[in-house]
Amino acid sequence: MISYLPTPYEDELFYSVLCRTYAHSGYFSYKEVLRDMLFSKSNNPSIEFIGHLNADFNALVKQAYPMEQLILNHTMFPQYGRFIPLKDKKSALHHLSTDYCDAHHLFCILPRSENDLYLKYCPLCVQADKDRYGEAYWHRSHQIRTMSICPKHYCSLEASSIIAKSEKMFTLSSTEEHTLITTPRVANNSALTEYSKYMCEVFKAPINLTTDIPLSSVFYYALRGSKYMPNSTKARHTQMFAEDLKAYYCKMGLTEVASIYQIQRTLLGDRFDFSVVCQIAYFLGISVRDITEPCLTEEQVLQEQTSHYIKGKAPIDWDSLDKEIAPQVEQLTYNIYYGIYGRPSRVSEKMIYRELHLSSHSLENLPISKGILEQYSETYEESWARRLIWAYNYLQNEKGAIPFYWSDLRKLSGVKKTNVNKVLPYLYKHTSSDIAERIISLISF
Amino acid sequence: MTDVMNYMPPLIVGNELKEALSVLPHYAVSIRKASVSERLIELSRLYDVYCPSPMTEEIYCKLYLALLRSLQKKQTKTATIQGNLNRQGIGNGIIGGSDSFTILGMSGIGKSSAIGRAISLIAPKPIILIQEPYARIAPIITVQTPYDCSVKGLLLEILREVDKAIDTNYHTNALKARATTDALIGSVANVCLHSVGLLILDEFQNVCGKNGSTLMGTLLNLINSSGISVAMVGTLETKTFFSNASFQLSRRSLGLEYGAMSLDKHFINLCRTLTSYLYVRNDFLLTDEIVRWLYSHSNGVTSVVVSLIKDTQEVAILDGTETLSISSLNKAYNQRLALLHNHIETKEVKHPSIKSKPMSVHPIAEMDAENPITDAVSEIKKNGGNLIALIREKIKVIEVQI
């Protein structure tokens, strides 16, 4: 059992708290302390979130500190979850607080660029922390993607040797042992410094858990009246916007500028990447408050949603769609199941989506169609049995009196001999015992 | 750590302390009418009796203040820096030792009992639980100094006791990791820094052995790296070790030293309390004569007094005399405490300042014509032994106070 859990410092990563716990404990190696903290041996300590803790340590952490506050103030939740829809935000917070859920299932976490591969630190912050607390720690704000300047001291952030990907992190590496550079590099780029400050303020702003104003609406009203969306037209000049944005940030010295695709998807409310949102918001001059706690009325939001043509983005009426495609689903599943145009097959969801041009997981919103699909659900073994029967009947009709063998059956049905034993019980279900026995004798021969 | 006093009981002094330290088991006069077996069983309650002395009060205060000082040093900035230094294996002890001191005294005067009573008042709960930052602190840990002065043995023993107190796995992990002594020192220092208030090293006279200096050096390192208070409890022979050691070691030996009790009101109170637990059928009156006899036959050592009174009653119950008197005391002294005679009577010679000499109430006997004294002396010269005891066997002896 862990006997000492230090209080998180201001803006400290929870991973850093675990590192300090290890540093101040009497454990001989990180493996022992991870065994007492994590759920299983195969779990890694999570750098950006809480991680999969075992029941005892989880209870200890919750007893010491409110979990929700820990997530909001000591993990990278604001980076990934700030701008996602309210329902998803609350769901993510709930899952992270109550049960372990991989963050990749809750947020869209993009691959890291070269500049964000390692944990970053500011030499002056390290010194200030040592003076104040006696030890340094990993700051959250330094780990924001694309952040290259310390928003407090305006010096360049240094990359440590600690890899920032949780999947590749197996140790607890404290700042004390891995911050080598002590001489700060002053950043002589006031524009980049201001932008870094802006990103940090957005990151640290309180998370809005009450109102759900789409980001697309905020950008709409920021763009409207500008040269990118004149009042006289409904269309956006996204190409021009992306080019100007890129030029602006390249001149600033930012290494990763949002692409036109990322900008488009963000403006339309499809994507919520923190750095892209900050780049757009800063470029458009949207204040920190307006981007983090937007104040738009329902009418304004509705106006935005109906103001311009969004290809394929009209809200879907699932009930109508379900009724409309149910006969098509019925026909399609029947054809596949009974092999109207060829060999009978097992009906799968993927086939339905492909043939009817539906998006993945649509059937979850189409109960009638899903019910039809379930009527035709079967195991693989059962479908192989039906194939064998079909193949036998086909060969019987085609060849007439000419004998045919197992190889012919195998070629036509596609069923392997190794699977035959699993298939046998289903033969009697789908055909007469006479034919079933003939098929079995062919297999045995 | 702020508000340390919130986690400790108040410091008690005066009569309130004496009452709190006393242990007086239940006694009913009716037990004297019970059967032999019942009385013999109840007689063992005498070992539970505890009468606090000035020594106990001093020890209580010393331990309380040492624990307080140690807790005040925890979770400070210096402690944080020290913890990181310990982890990195850097041997600088910047936090310094809070308070290391000795409690030395002859065997049997009640040091361990006094410490036990003091601990029960200072640390009524086995764990001090701090919420922010979360910490489980064992207020007082007691370990025995290894008989072979093994450094690793001592460090592992500390980890084991900490595990027992606060439910951790440090000892198991240390064994699995096959940690070297240097690694153990860092680990134990960090464990003590965050999870131990006061460390008591009992049987500290074992440090007078072969590797004592090494063990003492490790202890100093531990004290300087963990900032906790360490109390070293042992017999007076430890003084020799420290007096022959360097100034650095001798400095750490400052503390409390206790000899045998003197014949004072405390001793009289002790005798009165012990003899109030009467299990023989006949009544007993504690007189000055008996008090002086008890003092001279125990040399002021508490454990001997308790043994004397207990064994006397036991012998009296078993042989049916059912009387607690000087003659029964003598009988028990001769029969049960024979092995202590040399130590007590030898000390009589070495410490002539003790005012009273052993007394007995045996009447003067006529001298044997065979001159038993000469015979006794010859026998002693030939075979060795105790002259007075041998003479007593042959003739009746009366001793008078000079």
Side-chain angles (χ1 to χ4, degrees):
Chain A
M1 178 186 272
I2 302 288
S3 63
Y4 174 66
L5 184 67
T7 308
Y9 296 133
E10 186 191 340
D11 195 38
E12 183 180 16
L13 266 179
F14 185 70
Y15 170 77
S16 177
V17 177
L18 299 186
C19 294
R20 290 196 294 119
T21 304
Y22 166 52
H24 291 288
S25 70
Y27 287 95
F28 290 92
S29 79
Y30 62 88
K31 284 183 189 172
E32 293 158 7
V33 74
L34 286 177
R35 193 173 52 226
D36 282 349
M37 287 178 178
L38 299 182
F39 185 76
S40 77
K41 279 195 289 190
S42 57
N43 291 130
N44 299 10
S46 173
I47 291 186
E48 294 189 307
F49 293 95
I50 301 291
H52 197 181
L53 309 179
N54 62 35
D56 288 339
F57 188 59
N58 198 29
L60 193 156
V61 170
K62 282 183 178 172
Q63 182 191 349
Y65 313 110
M67 187 56 90
E68 202 169 285
Q69 290 305 312
L70 210 56
I71 292 169
L72 292 175
N73 298 327
H74 297 285
T75 67
M76 300 303 287
F77 182 93
Q79 177 171 254
Y80 298 106
R82 175 176 293 283
F83 298 116
I84 61 177
L86 181 65
K87 184 178 153 204
D88 295 338
K89 202 184 306 185
K90 283 184 171 178
S91 169
L93 194 56
H94 170 76
H95 282 299
L96 290 172
S97 303
T98 54
D99 52 48
Y100 170 70
C101 190
D102 189 349
H104 291 84
H105 297 159
L106 301 171
F107 312 110
C108 175
I109 299 181
L110 299 175
R112 289 179 175 271
S113 65
E114 272 187 28
N115 295 328
D116 293 318
L117 284 177
Y118 299 94
L119 289 179
K120 294 171 272 187
Y121 66 94
C122 162
L124 289 177
C125 284
V126 166
Q127 194 52 52
D129 294 337
K130 284 187 178 182
D131 289 340
R132 185 174 175 190
Y133 301 114
E135 60 186 348
Y137 58 93
W138 299 114
H139 286 246
R140 274 194 321 164
S141 49
H142 295 163
Q143 315 313 325
I144 299 171
R145 300 226 189 165
T146 71
M147 179 73 82
S148 59
I149 291 179
C150 175
K152 193 173 171 185
H153 297 108
Y154 312 136
C155 60
S156 297
L157 294 176
E158 304 292 344
S160 68
S161 56
I162 308 303
I163 201 156
K165 280 191 193 179
S166 292
E167 307 81 55
K168 298 203 175 186
M169 169 53 65
F170 302 99
T171 62
L172 291 171
S173 307
S174 66
T175 322
E176 283 287 312
E177 295 170 6
H178 294 92
T179 50
L180 303 175
I181 297 170
T182 53
T183 311
R185 291 182 291 143
V186 178
N188 295 320
N189 187 337
S190 57
L192 191 56
T193 305
E194 286 305 311
Y195 174 64
S196 300
K197 270 176 66 179
Y198 179 85
M199 265 210 298
C200 186
E201 284 172 27
V202 171
F203 180 81
K204 286 186 177 178
I207 302 267
N208 184 359
L209 290 170
T210 48
T211 54
D212 189 15
I213 296 173
L215 205 59
S216 57
S217 303
V218 178
F219 288 139
Y220 170 79
Y221 285 100
L223 277 170
R224 197 174 65 165
S226 69
K227 63 177 181 174
Y228 307 109
M229 195 165 87
N231 284 332
S232 56
T233 70
K234 285 186 179 179
R236 279 184 255 232
H237 302 305
T238 314
Q239 179 80 30
M240 187 200 309
F241 179 73
E243 284 169 3
D244 286 352
L245 187 140
K246 185 171 179 178
Y248 176 76
Y249 284 111
C250 285
K251 189 179 171 190
M252 187 191 280
L254 195 65
T255 49
E256 290 146 56
V257 183
S259 66
I260 182 169
Y261 174 77
Q262 286 175 310
I263 293 169
Q264 261 180 336
R265 303 259 51 94
T266 306
L267 289 176
L268 292 174
D270 262 355
R271 297 278 286 270
F272 313 98
D273 187 64
F274 181 85
S275 58
V276 175
V277 170
C278 284
Q279 284 178 27
I280 295 173
Y282 188 73
F283 181 72
L284 291 174
I286 302 174
S287 68
V288 171
R289 192 196 162 101
D290 286 340
I291 195 70
T292 55
E293 284 181 51
C295 296
L296 293 176
T297 61
E298 277 185 34
E299 289 79 22
Q300 284 177 304
V301 171
L302 190 61
Q303 184 187 352
E304 179 267 329
Q305 286 177 352
T306 54
S307 66
H308 54 287
Y309 171 68
I310 306 170
K311 185 179 172 183
K313 279 306 292 180
I316 300 173
D317 184 355
W318 292 106
D319 288 335
S320 304
L321 182 65
D322 198 13
K323 287 172 189 160
E324 185 189 324
I325 69 168
Q328 296 174 44
V329 171
E330 173 73 48
Q331 188 64 47
L332 182 60
T333 49
Y334 181 89
N335 292 344
I336 295 170
Y337 188 84
Y338 289 107
I340 301 299
Y341 300 114
R343 186 171 72 187
S345 297
R346 182 175 172 272
V347 183
S348 68
E349 274 190 38
K350 207 171 173 180
M351 278 180 192
I352 305 295
Y353 296 141
R354 189 178 62 223
E355 296 298 324
L356 296 180
H357 305 290
L358 295 171
S359 56
S360 300
H361 304 290
S362 297
L363 281 175
E364 289 171 22
N365 299 318
L366 304 168
I368 302 172
S369 305
K370 190 168 182 184
I372 295 169
L373 179 66
E374 281 168 4
Q375 287 172 16
Y376 290 94
S377 69
E378 60 181 351
T379 60
Y380 279 104
E381 290 80 10
E382 195 170 348
S383 70
W384 295 333
R386 290 191 308 106
R387 275 201 223 163
L388 276 174
I389 296 164
W390 170 83
Y392 178 84
N393 290 330
Y394 180 87
L395 286 168
Q396 191 77 359
N397 291 335
E398 284 289 310
K399 298 223 171 184
I402 304 170
F404 56 88
Y405 307 97
W406 162 249
S407 57
D408 301 309
L409 210 60
R410 159 85 180 94
K411 221 177 191 176
L412 199 56
S413 68
V415 178
K416 294 181 189 173
K417 205 166 189 179
T418 49
N419 293 326
V420 155
N421 282 340
K422 298 174 197 170
V423 163
L424 290 179
Y426 297 102
L427 285 176
Y428 291 93
K429 183 180 172 187
H430 290 284
T431 188
S432 63
S433 48
D434 183 38
I435 294 177
E437 276 159 25
R438 284 192 215 161
I439 293 172
I440 291 169
S441 66
L442 274 176
I443 296 167
S444 313
F445 185 71
Chain B
M1 191 165 79
T2 56
D3 301 330
V4 168
M5 294 309 299
N6 292 342
Y7 300 101
M8 290 190 61
L11 178 64
I12 316 172
V13 292
N15 286 333
E16 194 186 342
L17 176 61
K18 282 182 190 155
E19 277 176 31
L21 288 170
S22 300
V23 176
L24 298 172
H26 172 72
Y27 171 78
V29 178
S30 55
I31 191 68
R32 292 169 64 192
K33 294 177 187 169
S35 66
V36 167
S37 54
E38 280 174 331
R39 285 185 288 145
L40 285 174
I41 291 169
E42 286 295 310
L43 185 58
S44 58
R45 280 177 184 255
L46 264 175
Y47 288 127
D48 297 334
V49 172
Y50 188 81
C51 294
S53 62
M55 175 186 78
T56 321
E57 293 172 39
E58 273 186 14
I59 288 176
Y60 166 84
C61 284
K62 190 78 175 170
L63 293 182
Y64 186 99
L65 294 171
L67 177 60
L68 182 68
R69 178 84 183 119
S70 177
L71 290 179
Q72 282 171 340
K73 277 204 168 185
K74 293 198 184 309
Q75 291 153 15
T76 56
K77 182 178 155 187
T78 317
T80 304
I81 297 172
Q82 185 66 59
N84 281 306
L85 289 175
N86 292 340
R87 163 59 55 190
Q88 291 165 30
I90 298 170
N92 293 348
I94 61 160
I95 196 169
S98 285
D99 191 7
S100 68
F101 56 94
T102 53
I103 300 175
L104 303 179
M106 4 181 346
S107 182
I109 59 161
K111 300 184 299 298
S112 298
S113 303
I115 289 168
R117 288 301 305 139
I119 289 174
S120 68
L121 293 187
I122 296 168
K125 292 181 189 170
I127 298 177
I128 295 175
L129 193 63
I130 299 169
Q131 288 305 324
E132 196 168 334
Y134 175 83
R136 295 159 64 85
I137 298 178
I140 300 179
I141 295 282
T142 305
V143 297
Q144 306 277 337
T145 309
Y147 68 94
D148 56 353
C149 299
S150 161
V151 171
K152 206 166 183 178
L154 175 66
L155 296 172
L156 287 173
E157 186 63 21
I158 292 173
L159 290 182
R160 198 206 324 260
E161 289 298 320
V162 170
D163 286 350
K164 258 170 48 180
I166 60 172
D167 192 22
T168 46
N169 292 318
Y170 295 122
H171 181 255
T172 314
N173 290 338
L175 292 177
K176 270 190 196 167
R178 296 187 191 178
T180 60
T181 306
D182 293 329
L184 265 177
I185 290 174
S187 167
V188 172
N190 260 357
V191 170
C192 291
L193 182 65
H194 292 288
S195 303
V196 177
L198 169 66
L199 176 65
I200 296 178
L201 294 172
D202 209 351
E203 306 299 339
F204 199 68
Q205 64 275 4
N206 290 341
V207 85
C208 300
K210 194 176 165 189
N211 290 331
S213 301
T214 311
L215 183 66
M216 197 61 211
T218 306
L219 209 50
L220 286 179
N221 196 345
L222 185 65
I223 292 169
N224 288 332
S225 302
S226 63
I228 62 167
S229 301
V230 178
M232 295 165 272
V233 180
T235 58
L236 290 169
E237 64 183 307
T238 319
K239 271 176 64 174
T240 320
F241 172 81
F242 281 114
S243 56
N244 291 337
S246 62
F247 175 72
Q248 185 199 18
L249 289 182
S250 300
R251 186 170 72 86
R252 300 285 179 185
S253 70
L254 303 177
L256 309 172
E257 187 181 323
Y258 300 104
M261 280 190 286
S262 31
L263 183 54
D264 56 7
K265 65 175 180 182
H266 172 68
F267 183 83
I268 295 169
N269 185 44
L270 174 67
C271 296
R272 188 173 294 126
T273 306
L274 289 172
T275 52
S276 69
Y277 285 81
L278 199 64
Y279 294 90
V280 294
R281 292 200 196 276
N282 295 332
D283 291 339
F284 168 76
L285 179 66
L286 183 69
T287 60
D288 286 346
E289 187 186 1
I290 293 178
V291 170
R292 284 197 296 276
W293 188 96
L294 283 171
Y295 185 81
S296 63
H297 287 75
S298 65
N299 257 2
V301 177
T302 315
S303 63
V304 178
V305 175
V306 174
S307 298
L308 268 174
I309 294 173
K310 191 256 179 188
D311 285 350
T312 303
Q313 294 198 57
E314 192 175 303
V315 168
I317 292 170
L318 285 172
D319 67 12
T321 51
E322 299 285 351
T323 304
L324 183 60
S325 62
I326 291 224
S327 59
S328 58
L329 283 165
N330 263 325
K331 189 175 177 186
Y333 179 76
N334 292 328
Q335 283 181 8
R336 298 288 183 95
L337 276 75
L339 293 176
L340 288 180
H341 290 181
N342 276 346
H343 297 283
I344 291 172
E345 288 168 1
T346 304
K347 282 186 171 67
E348 282 173 2
V349 173
K350 284 188 178 177
H351 298 277
S353 59
I354 292 173
K355 290 178 186 172
S356 60
K357 293 242 166 130
M359 295 168 56
S360 78
V361 293
H362 297 283
I364 297 171
E366 293 177 356
M367 294 292 290
D368 194 336
E370 293 175 12
N371 201 354
I373 294 177
T374 313
D375 292 342
V377 170
S378 307
E379 193 173 338
I380 290 296
K381 279 184 180 173
K382 197 170 155 187
N383 300 325
N386 189 327
L387 176 64
I388 302 293
L390 196 60
I391 291 174
R392 274 212 186 93
E393 286 173 9
K394 295 186 185 290
I395 59 171
K396 290 177 184 172
V397 175
I398 186 167
E399 294 167 272
V400 296
Q401 183 178 352
I402 298 173

